[in-house]
Amino acid sequence: ARKTDKAVSRRARDRAAALRIGAGDIDAIATKAQSLCLRAEAQLRAGNTDEATSQQIEQEWSRLGAGVPPDILARFQGALAVLHQMQFSERNPAPVPEVAEASTGDSISDPISAAPASAAPTDLVASQARFDAALSAAAGEAQAERERRRSTLQSIEKLAGEYAARLDAGDFSAARLCNQSLAVLLVAAGALPVALDSRVSALQARYEELLRWQQWASRNRRQDICANIETLAASEVHPDALATRVREAREEWRRLDASENAESADSALARRFNALCHRALKPTKAYFEKRDELRRTRTVEIEALVSSAEPTEDAVRNWRATMGLRTELSTALRSLDDVEQKARTALARRIKEAIARLSAALSARELELEAAKHKLIARATALQGCDEKSAARQARELQQEWTALGTGRRSTDQRQWQEFRKACDAVFAGLDTAKKQRETQSLEAQAQERSIVEAIEALRDQGELTPAQRKSALRELQARWQACAVHDRSLMQRHARLVEGIEESMRGAARLQRLSRFDRALRRYALLRSAEQGGQEDPAFAALWSETEGPHDAMSAALDRRRLAAASTEMSAEAAARGLLVELEFVAGIETPLEDHARRMNFQVQRLASRMRDRVSTQPDVEVADALARWFGQTAQNEALEQRFLRAANAAVASLP
């Protein structure tokens, strides 16, 4: 009606306001009282004393009841009293007194001033004074009301511009806020100018349409969410992933609730959503209870570990045990995800405090140990002027004391050990014969060790040996090395590097030997693809095919079968081929193209579910061989898929240990 017939729309608004007033709506009563008050004051300003108009206003006022605000009631009563006085004065005009001539001059005196005081009734004068005061107050209030209305209309025009911009942008949340603000301003403004009313009506119509579209889209999205949760409940998803998906769905549901009006929410759909979430999470209850139990157990274990981490004197003296305890605390700090969430912060703080206490105690112990070893170094240095036999005995005793002290910080220990050993060597330098013998033995040992190292180096450079021969020769040289008393650090480092290099080369050769079957299979597949693309086998194909023949396995069997069926030009199903490519790319650890991301996600979920269900895992080389055999067993694919297969297959083979 608002768009087609303004008279019908106005009558509908009046009827709706009357129903709200009859129901006792305070806001509707206040709005109607304000309107009647403005009508009475307008009648006063116009000097209209029509009794029918004032009686109609009084009748409408009487229907408002006792819910009128006191300030509006006093304002209306004042205006009505002045209006009644004007009507009374019009019905009973005051007599006009005769004009008397002045005794001197030609001027005429004021008839009211010249009349005796008894000529004007006292109540008429009082009524006139009340009328003037009420008229002045009404004029002031009318001016203030006009200012308020002007300000309200300006606010409505400004808000209408922002409202239109939000609607043009399709920003429903901002448009809803504008709609709510505009509703408040419309109540305060009352009747609008025709142009502004048309503009606001058009905006409201656009908002209603946007609201309907928003509700339609929101309902469809809610139905999709319910369908996803229903599908999720029937799938074999890990409980953590399932709980995460349900939590994300609930957050999205709350965002949809926040973007809609409260009255537009579908309670039946909400009840269905809550029931589906409860049904989906119900099977995970046992898992989370078990995980909570494990976390509580882990919490108790870490609390016991923290309680035992007190730096007592015995604990600090047992340096290795204390270091191990600090390492355990550091490990526990990094694994706090395995404890109850509410206890993580407190446990982290306690662990850090315990680590700090142990570190401080160990630092103090290291300082004490450093001071004690300094004393031993000083005593060993003082032995150089003593008797040789006594000095040698005392030097050995000092060495025993040094060993009994234990180890401290590595850098400090090595520096002090060098000083202590230098002092002890100076003591033993007096024993020339023993010293020469030791030097001779040391030189011989070094020469023997050097010869062994050189033999290992020669073994490294001998490329004609088989892996078994190289391994046997290295074992013999290692046995000779172990029999030597190794002293030279440079020889030890050189020996370690050489042995590590030989072992690495042997491991590489063994790996190449293990993976040779994959290389042969891929070369044979390249030959077969070339023959398939050419339409017939090349004359040299049979010779090359025989050269690349290896042990008979699933891959070789699949290639042989495909060669026999090479005359067929029909391609295999692309979906199965893409599934094999996704599996190879996952094993190889490379990215899958965008169009097969969904397949890869499904494959990962199925793989995880299978491992959780069967509790077994397949060896990587077996998995790659099986995937290659299945690919070889199908017919040719398009060139893009074939190139993608070669990239994934080479990467998968390269990733094998």
Side-chain angles (χ1 to χ4, degrees), residues 226-237 241-246 280:
C226 291
N228 292 337
I229 295 298
E230 194 169 10
T231 304
L232 185 64
S235 62
E236 296 181 356
V237 182
L242 191 147
T244 301
R245 297 273 292 279
V246 171

Side-chain angles (χ1 to χ4, degrees), residues 290-309:
K290 182 63 176 178
R291 189 181 68 178
D292 291 341
E293 181 181 354
L294 293 176
R295 285 183 172 179
R296 286 192 294 270
T297 304
R298 181 58 179 163
T299 302
V300 173
E301 293 175 354
I302 294 180
E303 287 179 348
L305 178 64
V306 174
S307 300
S308 65

Side-chain angles (χ1 to χ4, degrees), residues 384-459:
Q384 296 179 11
C386 298
D387 181 70
E388 293 183 358
K389 294 183 179 180
S390 176
R393 178 177 54 78
Q394 293 181 27
R396 294 188 186 93
E397 292 175 354
L398 289 176
Q399 289 177 348
Q400 293 174 358
E401 292 181 21
W402 183 282
T403 304
L405 284 176
T407 56
R409 186 174 298 161
R410 182 178 180 84
S411 59
T412 305
D413 260 2
Q414 287 181 347
R415 177 178 53 81
Q416 289 186 313
W417 167 250
Q418 294 297 331
E419 296 177 4
F420 179 72
R421 183 174 178 180
K422 183 178 179 181
C424 292
D425 288 345
V427 173
F428 292 112
L431 305 176
D432 295 333
T433 305
K435 180 180 178 181
K436 291 179 180 179
Q437 185 178 3
R438 287 195 300 272
E439 289 177 352
T440 303
Q441 292 176 352
S442 177
L443 291 174
E444 291 175 354
Q446 288 182 5
Q448 187 178 4
E449 292 162 4
R450 188 175 294 107
S451 65
I452 295 174
V453 169
E454 291 172 353
I456 294 176
E457 192 170 11
L459 177 63

Side-chain angles (χ1 to χ4, degrees), residues 142-293:
Q143 180 64 25
E145 181 63 28
R146 285 194 295 274
E147 293 296 331
R148 285 194 297 271
R149 177 173 173 78
R150 185 181 301 109
S151 176
T152 303
L153 291 177
Q154 291 176 354
S155 299
I156 290 175
E157 290 179 354
K158 181 179 179 181
L159 185 60
E162 182 182 357
Y163 196 9
R166 300 302 183 186
L167 289 173
D168 291 338
D171 189 350
F172 178 75
S173 299
R176 187 182 64 181
L177 296 177
C178 292
N179 177 267
Q180 295 172 353
S181 302
L182 185 61
V184 175
L185 292 176
L186 289 176
V187 171
L192 299 178
V194 176
L196 185 58
D197 185 59
S198 300
R199 183 182 179 188
V200 170
S201 299
L203 292 175
Q204 295 289 57
R206 290 178 61 191
Y207 173 76
E208 293 294 336
E209 182 180 3
L210 182 61
L211 176 61
R212 288 192 297 272
W213 279 107
Q214 177 70 18
Q215 290 174 351
W216 176 80
S218 177
R219 180 172 179 81
N220 288 345
R221 180 55 190 156
R222 291 175 188 269
Q223 290 175 348
D224 291 341
I225 294 173
C226 291
N228 292 337
I229 295 298
E230 194 169 10
T231 304
L232 185 64
S235 62
E236 296 181 356
V237 182
H238 191 273
D240 283 328
L242 191 147
T244 301
R245 297 273 292 279
V246 171
R247 182 173 63 254
E248 291 173 352
R250 283 176 169 169
E251 290 175 357
E252 184 177 0
W253 194 278
R254 283 194 292 270
R255 288 195 297 271
L256 292 175
D257 286 341
S259 66
E260 297 179 359
N261 292 327
E263 60 269 13
S264 64
D266 191 340
S267 58
L269 197 58
R271 288 194 298 270
R272 181 192 172 197
F273 172 72
N274 292 328
L276 289 173
C277 291
H278 178 73
R279 187 188 309 164
L281 292 175
K282 186 176 181 181
T284 66
K285 182 178 180 181
Y287 168 79
F288 286 114
E289 288 178 352
K290 182 63 176 178
R291 189 181 68 178
D292 291 341
E293 181 181 354

Side-chain angles (χ1 to χ4, degrees), residues 304-312 315 318-332 351 354-355 358 362:
L305 178 64
V306 174
S307 300
S308 65
E310 291 298 332
T312 60
N318 190 356
W319 181 82
R320 295 187 181 278
T322 306
M323 288 292 294
L325 181 58
R326 188 170 65 175
T327 303
E328 290 183 15
L329 288 172
S330 300
T331 304
I351 291 173
I355 291 175
L358 289 177
L362 287 172

Side-chain angles (χ1 to χ4, degrees), residues 355-370:
I355 291 175
R357 289 195 301 270
L358 289 177
S359 298
L362 287 172
S363 298
R365 171 61 179 166
E366 288 171 357
L367 292 176
E368 293 178 1
L369 193 60
E370 183 179 0

